[in-house]
Amino acid sequence: MASAACYLGFDFSTQQLKVIAVNEQLQVVYEDNVHFDKDLPEFGTHGGVHVHSDKLTVTSPVLMWVKALDCILDRMKSSGFNFSTVKALSGTGQQHGSVYWREGFRAVLSNLPPELPLHVVLQSCFSVSDSPVWMDSSTRAECDHLEKSVGGPQVLANITGSRAYERFTGNQIAKIYKQKPREYLETERISLVSSFAASLFIGDCAPIDYSDGSGMNLLDIHDKTWNEKCLNACGPHLKEKLGAVVPSCSVLGPVSTYYVQRYGFSHDCSVVAFTGDNPASLAGMRLKEGDIVVSLGTSDTLFLWIQQPTPSLEGHIFINPVHSQDYMALLCFKNGSLMREKIRDDCSSGSWEEFSKMLRSTPIGNNGQIGFYFDVMEITPQALGVYRFNAENQKVTEFPKDVEIRAVIEGQFMAKRVYAERLGYKIMPQTRILATGGASCNQDILQVLSDIFNAPVHTLATSNSACLGCAYQAAHGLAMHSSPLSGTDVFKPAEHRLVVTPRPDAEKIYQPLMKRYAECESAVIQESKNM
């Protein structure tokens, strides 16, 4: 139970609302969650969302998120949580979701009666009752229009950090404007899920932060302002409806008197800007410049801290949530653990122990043999199928089992380094790889990762990294507000465990191999297109 001073982080994710409290030493002292399907069945969601009949449109009821906040705060109060000890709070929302506030909502937000729950008071405040979320893929026409309006997908990526994606907010707004013109006209303000949640806490319309704003196809990531061409392509008067953007560590003001009177928060409790779940994870994992997070799960994901971004048609560049002058890059690879498990089943009788033994038995660099393994259509690169090349870049139909095992692991990790460097990532002497996800428990797989990136690999014990990151952001934002500290002054070194270091000859072997990987990849992409 929290009794000493603490910081709160709220995570409005797809399936649940989570809360974490950390003390002054950034240790977790309280956790809870509200599961939307289970705890709020009246909204009829499955996995926290409504999938519409076209199978492309995916939304969530905005009042469900409001009621979840009521529930979690009531639970905390019932458990004896001492809200008066909270010095600051922050939060995160699933990226790319959008909330549409009806004209006049500010008067309601600024005069919330403490005797009533939020979901009762705010029922009439939303012009669109079901919010589009990141799972939506119904805006292909709007994406094409946006890219054409600015001069093509690469031009859009150069401006906003990403080419047009169907889930990105600008394209979702364009669809609302086209299909629901009356609701669009009635909308005074458009929030992201993150800034919507922050608005609930400050009793006013909270600004969008730089990092989450980077995932909209609307924000110029270089000068950190809304881009006029992008705005005009998506809807009229959009600049006014979006409002200002602010650094992710900004203190927005004190918590609303509603929370002081209803729950016992201190008048001095500060609200730090809320951000998206991916930027919050970067803060939660306590990255430093040059670090890279490799999450080895069903899909493999990379978070990178970079200074000089080079946006491309693959991956995303966001403004860094900890240091707003820096950037974070995100790459996602669909063919992760399921592909590794398939090769394990085919080549080592379903045994990870045998898989590791065979991986250790093969030389690093696999004698120049390279493999591409895409069981489902990959994002980066856009390709499908299995492709094997010998040391002379000639296609072959099969590899021996031990070669196949090393080829899938080396191929996956070479792809990650190649694409990371294309986005502007540079390996530095102090670079660490922070590995998480299911495969991070396999030291032999991590050894290949270490060799290919020529950097030590540490493992993370962090769970709920996005929610935890928000609690850290609350502490960080308050400290920055008091004195201009750097992120590293607040984010003390995390207890990451060193697992493996690169072998001395690794860089010499993999540098030429990665050049060949890129050459073979071009042939793979072309062949996949012709299939």
Side-chain angles (χ1 to χ4, degrees):
M1 202 59 58
S3 53
C6 67
Y7 304 91
L8 288 183
F10 293 89
D11 180 6
F12 288 75
S13 66
T14 310
Q15 299 192 52
Q16 56 188 319
L17 168 60
K18 292 172 271 193
V19 65
I20 279 181
V22 299
N23 61 18
E24 297 272 27
Q25 290 72 47
L26 303 185
Q27 298 163 328
V28 176
V29 293
Y30 184 92
E31 282 188 81
D32 199 3
N33 70 83
V34 170
H35 193 274
F36 300 143
D37 294 0
K38 179 166 65 74
D39 297 325
L40 300 171
E42 63 269 31
F43 292 98
T45 56
H46 295 280
V49 301
H50 293 144
V51 179
H52 294 227
S53 56
D54 63 0
K55 305 298 183 191
L56 299 173
T57 305
V58 184
T59 59
S60 290
V62 65
L63 278 174
M64 178 180 74
W65 297 329
V66 179
K67 191 168 184 180
L69 182 57
D70 287 328
C71 290
I72 210 159
L73 291 173
D74 288 344
R75 278 190 198 170
M76 293 174 78
K77 187 176 180 180
S78 298
S79 74
F81 186 92
N82 185 356
F83 288 101
S84 69
T85 64
V86 180
K87 292 177 73 172
L89 65 88
S90 187
T92 181
Q94 52 179 293
Q95 281 203 270
H96 318 301
S98 46
V99 175
Y100 300 78
W101 296 97
R102 194 187 300 278
E103 284 181 359
F105 78 97
R106 269 198 164 102
V108 180
L109 261 186
S110 60
N111 293 287
L112 296 168
E115 67 276 8
L116 293 176
L118 288 169
H119 73 277
V120 172
V121 187
L122 298 179
Q123 281 185 65
S124 62
C125 283
F126 306 103
S127 51
V128 176
S129 58
D130 282 296
S131 290
V133 294
W134 67 272
M135 296 167 70
D136 187 282
S137 56
S138 65
T139 62
R140 186 68 256 155
E142 288 77 14
C143 289
D144 293 342
H145 173 70
L146 176 57
E147 289 183 343
K148 188 177 178 184
S149 298
V150 301
Q154 185 61 58
V155 176
L156 184 63
N158 291 343
I159 297 167
T160 71
S162 304
R163 67 174 303 166
Y165 283 89
E166 292 170 325
R167 65 188 184 278
F168 273 38
T169 321
N171 308 302
Q172 295 292 338
I173 291 169
K175 180 188 169 189
I176 296 274
Y177 169 61
K178 192 160 67 177
Q179 296 188 358
K180 298 181 177 181
R182 182 176 59 81
E183 287 88 340
Y184 185 86
L185 190 64
E186 291 173 355
T187 299
E188 182 179 339
R189 217 30 150 6
I190 300 172
S191 293
L192 298 179
V193 176
S194 57
S195 59
F196 146 78
S199 301
L200 298 180
F201 279 103
I202 65 171
D204 196 0
C205 190
I208 291 169
D209 79 290
Y210 289 164
S211 288
D212 209 4
S214 310
M216 299 173 72
N217 280 144
L218 294 174
L219 187 73
D220 186 317
I221 62 168
H222 306 285
D223 65 18
K224 302 177 179 66
T225 58
W226 302 119
N227 180 271
E228 295 289 345
K229 280 187 180 178
C230 297
L231 294 174
N232 293 338
C234 293
H237 312 296
L238 190 47
K239 193 172 188 177
E240 292 78 15
K241 291 181 189 290
L242 291 173
V245 281
V246 297
S248 303
C249 294
S250 301
V251 174
L252 303 181
V255 72
S256 162
T257 55
Y258 173 84
Y259 299 91
V260 176
Q261 294 171 358
R262 186 173 174 87
Y263 295 105
F265 278 86
S266 164
H267 284 285
D268 297 326
C269 174
S270 295
V271 179
V272 175
F274 284 35
T275 192
D277 50 5
N278 289 310
S281 287
L282 180 143
M285 290 169 176
R286 302 206 230 176
L287 261 68
K288 296 183 296 189
E289 185 188 338
D291 283 351
I292 177 170
V293 169
V294 179
S295 178
L296 301 171
T298 304
S299 294
D300 288 349
T301 309
L302 269 69
F303 295 134
L304 316 166
W305 183 309
I306 56 178
Q307 285 193 315
Q308 301 298 328
T310 52
S312 76
L313 298 183
E314 295 93 8
H316 312 292
I317 303 284
F318 300 136
I319 296 166
N320 191 297
V322 180
H323 284 163
S324 60
Q325 73 273 23
D326 292 344
Y327 296 87
M328 67 172 283
L330 185 148
L331 285 162
C332 185
F333 300 84
K334 280 187 184 176
N335 291 271
S337 64
L338 296 183
M339 195 69 244
R340 290 187 288 270
E341 288 165 11
K342 190 170 190 289
I343 298 298
R344 176 204 63 188
D345 294 345
D346 292 346
C347 297
S348 59
S349 307
S351 163
W352 280 121
E353 191 176 343
E354 187 64 24
F355 184 98
S356 293
K357 186 178 174 185
M358 295 170 81
L359 186 57
R360 287 194 302 271
S361 74
T362 47
I364 68 171
N366 219 8
N367 291 321
Q369 296 165 111
I370 296 172
F372 297 79
Y373 299 83
F374 308 128
D375 205 31
V376 295
M377 177 61 80
E378 188 50 86
I379 303 169
T380 44
Q382 284 197 316
L384 180 66
V386 175
Y387 307 85
R388 303 173 184 89
F389 296 87
N390 64 18
E392 286 73 46
N393 282 12
Q394 297 165 325
K395 278 193 70 182
V396 295
T397 55
E398 61 181 25
F399 284 151
K401 289 182 177 180
D402 56 346
V403 173
E404 187 94 303
I405 284 172
R406 178 163 282 276
V408 69
I409 300 300
E410 286 190 341
Q412 288 184 335
F413 291 150
M414 280 195 288
K416 289 170 178 52
R417 180 165 173 181
V418 164
Y419 278 95
E421 290 181 342
R422 285 179 191 171
L423 285 175
Y425 176 74
K426 292 180 177 64
I427 292 171
M428 304 175 181
Q430 73 271 26
T431 290
R432 305 172 303 165
I433 299 171
L434 310 179
T436 184
S440 65
C441 63
N442 187 312
Q443 189 165 327
D444 296 291
I445 290 176
L446 295 186
Q447 183 64 61
V448 180
L449 175 61
S450 179
D451 290 341
I452 286 174
F453 276 84
N454 196 36
V457 174
H458 302 247
T459 52
L460 287 166
T462 304
S463 59
N464 286 341
S465 59
C467 194
L468 193 59
C470 295
Y472 294 164
Q473 284 290 82
H476 184 209
L478 193 59
M480 292 278 287
H481 189 64
S482 305
S483 61
L485 296 168
S486 71
T488 50
D489 290 325
V490 176
F491 292 107
K492 302 293 187 284
E495 295 176 9
H496 304 310
R497 185 173 69 90
L498 176 63
V499 183
V500 289
T501 55
R503 286 181 259 203
D505 54 347
E507 185 76 345
K508 189 170 66 178
I509 291 170
Y510 283 115
Q511 275 294 354
L513 200 60
M514 279 187 290
K515 286 180 184 169
R516 283 191 46 231
Y517 179 93
E519 292 165 9
C520 294
E521 183 194 63
S522 300
V524 165
I525 294 169
Q526 193 55 49
E527 186 170 335
S528 187
K529 278 182 185 172
N530 298 334
M531 282 173 64

